[in-house]
Short mmCIF file of all heavy atoms in Angstrom, two decimals:
data_model
loop_
_atom_site.label_atom_id
_atom_site.label_comp_id
_atom_site.label_asym_id
_atom_site.label_seq_id
_atom_site.Cartn_x
_atom_site.Cartn_y
_atom_site.Cartn_z
N TYR A 26 -1.69 -42.28 102.66
CA TYR A 26 -1.18 -41.48 103.78
C TYR A 26 0.07 -40.67 103.43
O TYR A 26 0.71 -40.10 104.32
CB TYR A 26 -0.92 -42.38 104.99
CG TYR A 26 -2.22 -42.93 105.55
CD1 TYR A 26 -2.68 -44.19 105.18
CD2 TYR A 26 -3.01 -42.16 106.40
CE1 TYR A 26 -3.88 -44.68 105.67
CE2 TYR A 26 -4.20 -42.63 106.90
CZ TYR A 26 -4.63 -43.90 106.52
OH TYR A 26 -5.83 -44.37 107.00
N GLY A 27 0.43 -40.60 102.15
CA GLY A 27 1.51 -39.73 101.72
C GLY A 27 2.89 -40.17 102.16
O GLY A 27 3.77 -39.33 102.39
N LEU A 28 3.09 -41.47 102.25
CA LEU A 28 4.40 -42.02 102.61
C LEU A 28 4.98 -42.78 101.43
O LEU A 28 4.23 -43.37 100.64
CB LEU A 28 4.28 -42.98 103.79
CG LEU A 28 3.80 -42.41 105.12
CD1 LEU A 28 3.48 -43.52 106.10
CD2 LEU A 28 4.84 -41.46 105.69
N GLU A 32 9.85 -45.03 103.40
CA GLU A 32 9.54 -44.39 104.69
C GLU A 32 8.72 -45.33 105.57
O GLU A 32 9.00 -45.48 106.77
CB GLU A 32 8.77 -43.08 104.47
CG GLU A 32 9.61 -41.97 103.88
CD GLU A 32 8.78 -40.78 103.44
OE1 GLU A 32 7.57 -40.92 103.13
OE2 GLU A 32 9.37 -39.66 103.40
N LEU A 36 10.03 -46.77 109.12
CA LEU A 36 9.26 -46.55 110.36
C LEU A 36 8.97 -47.88 111.04
O LEU A 36 9.12 -48.02 112.26
CB LEU A 36 7.95 -45.82 110.05
CG LEU A 36 8.06 -44.33 109.78
CD1 LEU A 36 6.77 -43.80 109.13
CD2 LEU A 36 8.38 -43.56 111.06
N SER A 58 8.58 -46.77 119.40
CA SER A 58 8.01 -45.76 118.50
C SER A 58 9.10 -45.21 117.60
O SER A 58 10.27 -45.15 117.99
CB SER A 58 7.39 -44.62 119.32
OG SER A 58 6.81 -43.66 118.47
N SER A 59 8.70 -44.83 116.42
CA SER A 59 9.58 -44.11 115.51
C SER A 59 8.75 -43.03 114.85
O SER A 59 7.59 -43.25 114.49
CB SER A 59 10.18 -45.04 114.45
OG SER A 59 11.11 -44.33 113.64
N ILE A 60 9.34 -41.86 114.71
CA ILE A 60 8.65 -40.76 114.06
C ILE A 60 9.52 -40.22 112.94
O ILE A 60 10.74 -40.30 112.98
CB ILE A 60 8.25 -39.64 115.06
CG1 ILE A 60 9.48 -39.01 115.72
CG2 ILE A 60 7.31 -40.19 116.12
CD1 ILE A 60 9.14 -37.83 116.64
N LEU A 61 8.86 -39.69 111.94
CA LEU A 61 9.53 -39.14 110.77
C LEU A 61 9.22 -37.66 110.69
O LEU A 61 8.06 -37.26 110.63
CB LEU A 61 9.02 -39.85 109.50
CG LEU A 61 9.46 -39.28 108.15
CD1 LEU A 61 10.97 -39.35 107.98
CD2 LEU A 61 8.75 -40.05 107.03
N SER A 62 10.27 -36.83 110.70
CA SER A 62 10.06 -35.38 110.61
C SER A 62 9.79 -35.00 109.16
O SER A 62 10.08 -35.75 108.23
CB SER A 62 11.30 -34.63 111.13
OG SER A 62 12.34 -34.67 110.17
N THR A 63 9.22 -33.81 108.98
CA THR A 63 8.98 -33.33 107.63
C THR A 63 10.29 -33.09 106.88
O THR A 63 10.31 -33.04 105.67
CB THR A 63 8.14 -32.03 107.64
OG1 THR A 63 8.83 -31.05 108.43
CG2 THR A 63 6.74 -32.27 108.18
N ALA A 66 14.09 -36.77 108.85
CA ALA A 66 14.86 -37.40 109.92
C ALA A 66 13.96 -38.32 110.75
O ALA A 66 12.78 -38.05 110.95
CB ALA A 66 15.48 -36.33 110.83
N TYR A 67 14.54 -39.42 111.22
CA TYR A 67 13.82 -40.38 112.05
C TYR A 67 14.30 -40.27 113.50
O TYR A 67 15.49 -40.05 113.75
CB TYR A 67 14.08 -41.82 111.57
CG TYR A 67 13.50 -42.11 110.23
CD1 TYR A 67 14.23 -41.85 109.07
CD2 TYR A 67 12.23 -42.65 110.09
CE1 TYR A 67 13.71 -42.12 107.81
CE2 TYR A 67 11.69 -42.92 108.84
CZ TYR A 67 12.44 -42.66 107.71
OH TYR A 67 11.91 -42.92 106.47
N PHE A 68 13.37 -40.45 114.42
CA PHE A 68 13.68 -40.44 115.84
C PHE A 68 12.93 -41.60 116.49
O PHE A 68 11.74 -41.78 116.25
CB PHE A 68 13.28 -39.10 116.49
CG PHE A 68 14.00 -37.94 115.88
CD1 PHE A 68 13.48 -37.27 114.79
CD2 PHE A 68 15.24 -37.55 116.38
CE1 PHE A 68 14.16 -36.22 114.20
CE2 PHE A 68 15.93 -36.50 115.80
CZ PHE A 68 15.39 -35.83 114.71
N PHE A 89 9.38 -38.07 120.45
CA PHE A 89 9.11 -36.65 120.17
C PHE A 89 10.08 -35.75 120.93
O PHE A 89 10.53 -34.74 120.40
CB PHE A 89 7.66 -36.29 120.52
CG PHE A 89 6.70 -36.53 119.39
CD1 PHE A 89 6.12 -37.77 119.21
CD2 PHE A 89 6.40 -35.51 118.50
CE1 PHE A 89 5.24 -37.99 118.16
CE2 PHE A 89 5.53 -35.72 117.44
CZ PHE A 89 4.95 -36.98 117.27
N ARG A 99 8.20 -30.34 113.29
CA ARG A 99 7.09 -30.71 112.40
C ARG A 99 7.27 -32.18 112.04
O ARG A 99 8.28 -32.56 111.42
CB ARG A 99 7.06 -29.85 111.13
CG ARG A 99 6.84 -28.37 111.38
CD ARG A 99 5.60 -27.99 112.19
NE ARG A 99 4.38 -28.65 111.79
CZ ARG A 99 3.36 -28.92 112.63
NH1 ARG A 99 3.43 -28.60 113.89
NH2 ARG A 99 2.28 -29.52 112.19
N ILE A 100 6.32 -32.98 112.43
CA ILE A 100 6.42 -34.42 112.26
C ILE A 100 5.41 -34.89 111.21
O ILE A 100 4.24 -34.52 111.25
CB ILE A 100 6.20 -35.15 113.60
CG1 ILE A 100 7.21 -34.65 114.66
CG2 ILE A 100 6.28 -36.66 113.43
CD1 ILE A 100 8.68 -34.78 114.28
N LYS A 101 5.88 -35.69 110.27
CA LYS A 101 5.08 -36.18 109.15
C LYS A 101 4.30 -37.44 109.49
O LYS A 101 3.16 -37.61 109.06
CB LYS A 101 6.01 -36.46 107.97
CG LYS A 101 5.33 -37.03 106.75
CD LYS A 101 6.34 -37.25 105.63
CE LYS A 101 5.67 -37.84 104.39
NZ LYS A 101 6.63 -37.99 103.29
N ALA A 102 4.92 -38.37 110.25
CA ALA A 102 4.28 -39.66 110.53
C ALA A 102 4.80 -40.22 111.84
O ALA A 102 5.94 -39.96 112.24
CB ALA A 102 4.55 -40.64 109.40
N VAL A 103 3.95 -41.03 112.49
CA VAL A 103 4.27 -41.67 113.76
C VAL A 103 4.01 -43.16 113.61
O VAL A 103 2.99 -43.57 113.04
CB VAL A 103 3.38 -41.11 114.89
CG1 VAL A 103 3.67 -41.81 116.22
CG2 VAL A 103 3.54 -39.60 115.02
N ALA A 104 4.92 -43.99 114.13
CA ALA A 104 4.72 -45.44 114.15
C ALA A 104 4.94 -45.95 115.56
O ALA A 104 5.81 -45.46 116.28
CB ALA A 104 5.67 -46.12 113.18
N ILE A 123 1.29 -35.63 120.60
CA ILE A 123 1.49 -35.72 119.15
C ILE A 123 0.84 -34.52 118.45
O ILE A 123 1.40 -33.95 117.51
CB ILE A 123 0.92 -37.06 118.62
CG1 ILE A 123 1.77 -38.23 119.13
CG2 ILE A 123 0.84 -37.06 117.10
CD1 ILE A 123 1.12 -39.60 118.94
N CYS A 127 2.17 -32.37 115.04
CA CYS A 127 1.69 -32.99 113.79
C CYS A 127 0.43 -32.31 113.30
O CYS A 127 -0.39 -31.84 114.09
CB CYS A 127 1.33 -34.47 114.03
SG CYS A 127 2.71 -35.56 114.27
N ALA A 131 -1.87 -36.28 109.86
CA ALA A 131 -0.71 -37.15 110.00
C ALA A 131 -1.12 -38.60 110.27
O ALA A 131 -2.01 -38.85 111.08
CB ALA A 131 0.20 -36.66 111.13
N PRO A 132 -0.46 -39.55 109.61
CA PRO A 132 -0.77 -40.95 109.86
C PRO A 132 -0.10 -41.46 111.14
O PRO A 132 1.05 -41.15 111.41
CB PRO A 132 -0.20 -41.67 108.63
CG PRO A 132 0.92 -40.80 108.18
CD PRO A 132 0.49 -39.38 108.51
N ILE A 133 -0.86 -42.24 111.90
CA ILE A 133 -0.34 -42.94 113.07
C ILE A 133 -0.43 -44.42 112.72
O ILE A 133 -1.53 -44.98 112.60
CB ILE A 133 -1.18 -42.64 114.34
CG1 ILE A 133 -1.45 -41.14 114.50
CG2 ILE A 133 -0.51 -43.25 115.56
CD1 ILE A 133 -0.25 -40.26 114.65
N VAL A 134 0.72 -45.05 112.50
CA VAL A 134 0.78 -46.46 112.10
C VAL A 134 1.03 -47.29 113.34
O VAL A 134 1.99 -47.05 114.08
CB VAL A 134 1.90 -46.71 111.07
CG1 VAL A 134 1.83 -48.14 110.54
CG2 VAL A 134 1.84 -45.70 109.93
#
Side-chain angles (χ1 to χ4, degrees):
Y26 293 96
L28 296 169
E32 289 170 334
L36 284 165
S58 181
S59 184
I60 62 176
L61 172 62
S62 76
T63 57
Y67 293 88
F68 299 90
F89 272 87
R99 297 306 313 151
I100 304 303
K101 177 179 180 178
V103 178
I123 292 167
C127 288
I133 313 299
V134 187

